[in-house]
Amino acid sequence: MNSLWTELAARAGLTLSERQHDLLARYLDLLLAANQRMNLTRITDRLAAELQHVGDALTLLPFLPKAEFRLVDVGTGGGVPGIPLAIARPDAHVMLVESTKKKAAFLKDAAAQLGLENLSVSEWRAAQVGRSNSRETFDVATARAVATLDWLAEWCLPLVKRGGKLLAMKGERAAEELLAARKAIKWLGGGEPVVHPIQLPGTEHRVGVEIRKVKRTDDLFPRDATVAKGKPIA
């Protein structure tokens, strides 16, 4: 079993079973094999993937609700952090949002092969999901390597119910992005952001930006792509 994964789960008071370790390892097998056919990840080394995909995802565990919850992973790509979190927290109901058809097909196939009944995949864009009956139904929204925080706020906060949160996985530009996104966060119903330093061996400048949803999001948001036209909320 992977000692790093065990340690990261323990930070959240969790103990990963042998089966969960096996599922996490099998997920990486599927990801790296599929990556030879399509562009799912720039990380092709197995040990690096264990750290930078699964390990990175598990750093979010301490910030998740303790009881059963609903999580949406926006722009999930190859399934990080959503799939590792669905494995580590089988009591979570996880939706992966990925509009690239080939990537979404991989995610559906991986979920089936791993037997993850708590996982679903949406091929819609995040803005479309935010205007569907899934609007404000999630306890947590996650995003990694998707966009700057001003865009993430518009795509993710409409998905989260009041009292829920956005968890954005960010690097060294987090402070700069937060400064630019403060007005958007407030307009979209978000509270004061909290930045959590993330300790992950062999990596630098990792933080988790936590934004609580303190009021409902105005029906104007998220804007349709034809309306937003590449202009984040200023």
Side-chain angles (χ1 to χ4, degrees):
M1 295 196 292
N2 188 296
S3 60
L4 174 63
W5 300 347
T6 297
E7 176 192 335
L8 293 171
R11 293 180 188 177
L14 299 173
T15 301
L16 296 178
S17 67
E18 185 174 345
R19 179 176 180 275
Q20 286 171 304
H21 275 272
D22 180 60
L23 286 173
L24 291 168
R26 286 173 57 198
Y27 160 61
L28 287 182
D29 291 339
L30 295 172
L31 176 67
L32 295 178
N35 196 57
Q36 297 179 16
R37 305 187 302 273
M38 68 183 87
N39 182 27
L40 289 170
T41 174
R42 60 177 177 77
I43 301 169
T44 57
D45 177 78
R46 175 59 186 234
L47 289 178
E50 291 179 2
L51 172 68
Q52 297 181 45
H53 283 327
V54 173
D56 200 30
L58 297 184
T59 62
L60 292 184
L61 288 175
F63 312 115
L64 300 179
K66 301 303 180 185
E68 183 178 349
F69 65 100
R70 283 171 51 81
L71 181 146
V72 59
D73 186 22
V74 171
T76 190
V80 180
I83 290 181
L85 293 178
I87 293 171
R89 287 292 303 270
D91 58 335
H93 303 273
V94 177
M95 176 189 284
L96 306 179
V97 176
E98 178 50 61
S99 61
T100 302
K101 303 302 182 184
K102 288 184 178 181
K103 293 180 181 181
F106 161 74
L107 296 169
K108 291 177 181 179
D109 181 63
Q113 290 199 50
L114 297 172
L116 299 179
E117 297 182 359
N118 63 330
L119 192 71
S120 63
V121 179
S122 171
E123 297 182 22
W124 289 359
R125 293 183 180 276
Q128 293 175 293
V129 180
R131 294 191 298 273
S132 73
N133 58 6
S134 291
R135 181 186 180 89
E136 296 191 321
T137 63
F138 295 95
D139 301 287
V140 180
T142 59
R144 185 183 85 147
V146 177
T148 53
L149 278 168
D150 43 10
W151 284 111
L152 287 182
E154 181 169 2
W155 295 337
C156 294
L157 286 176
L159 296 170
V160 178
K161 64 178 69 171
R162 186 175 178 182
K165 66 175 75 171
L166 162 62
L167 291 173
M169 306 177 78
K170 286 291 176 182
E172 59 186 358
R173 297 186 64 181
E176 177 184 336
E177 290 186 23
L178 270 172
L179 187 62
R182 285 194 176 275
K183 185 178 290 186
I185 290 168
K186 183 177 181 180
W187 283 3
L188 293 158
E192 187 66 23
V194 178
V195 178
H196 302 282
I198 299 297
Q199 296 180 352
L200 190 64
T203 62
E204 296 180 354
H205 306 299
R206 286 280 213 272
V207 298
V209 180
E210 179 177 354
I211 303 172
R212 287 276 180 181
K213 182 76 171 283
V214 297
K215 62 180 181 180
R216 70 175 298 276
T217 302
D218 191 288
D219 291 338
L220 292 172
F221 305 106
R223 298 167 295 167
D224 185 88
T226 58
V227 176
K229 294 181 181 178
K231 297 179 181 179
I233 299 172

